[in-house]
Amino acid sequence: MFFLDDEDRALVGRRRGEHMRLGFALQLVTVRWLGTFLEDPLDVPGVVLEFVAEQLGVDDPSQVKRYTECRTCSAITAAYPRR
C-alpha cells in the first residue's frame, strides 16, 4: 500500500534534495491511503517513513524534517493531481 512504482519514482525524482523527495513521496502515499493530505506530512508511522525512504535510496530518513520547513511544500504537493 505504500509502494512507489516507476511512475511515482519519476514524479518524486523531480524534487530537489532528498528531504523534498522523501516528503513529497510521503504525501503521495498517504493521500492514496487516506484520501486526503495530512496536515503534518510527517505524522506517519516510523515504519512507513523507513519503507518509503528505502525505496528512494535515502540513507537518513530523519532529514525529512526539513521538508516541513519549506513554505511552498504543501502548495507544491497540492498542485499535483490525486490518483
Side-chain angles (χ1 to χ4, degrees):
M1 79 186 79
F2 298 108
F3 178 76
L4 298 169
D5 63 19
D6 292 339
E7 185 178 328
D8 296 335
R9 282 192 291 276
L11 183 62
V12 169
R14 294 180 193 160
R15 312 279 74 82
R16 291 174 142 181
E18 287 188 334
H19 68 290
M20 292 294 287
R21 287 190 287 278
L22 187 51
F24 185 88
L26 284 175
Q27 292 270 41
L28 184 63
V29 298
T30 55
V31 75
R32 276 194 203 136
W33 177 249
L34 300 173
T36 187
F37 290 105
L38 295 175
E39 188 160 326
D40 177 358
L42 306 184
D43 191 18
V44 297
V47 295
V48 172
L49 173 60
E50 291 170 9
F51 181 64
V52 172
E54 183 180 313
Q55 292 179 77
L56 298 175
V58 175
D59 293 328
D60 180 11
S62 71
Q63 66 181 307
V64 74
K65 294 174 189 172
R66 291 178 43 216
Y67 180 75
T68 59
E69 296 170 2
C70 175
R71 291 182 175 202
T72 58
C73 293
S74 58
I76 292 169
T77 302
Y80 285 90
R82 298 176 189 202
R83 281 187 165 185

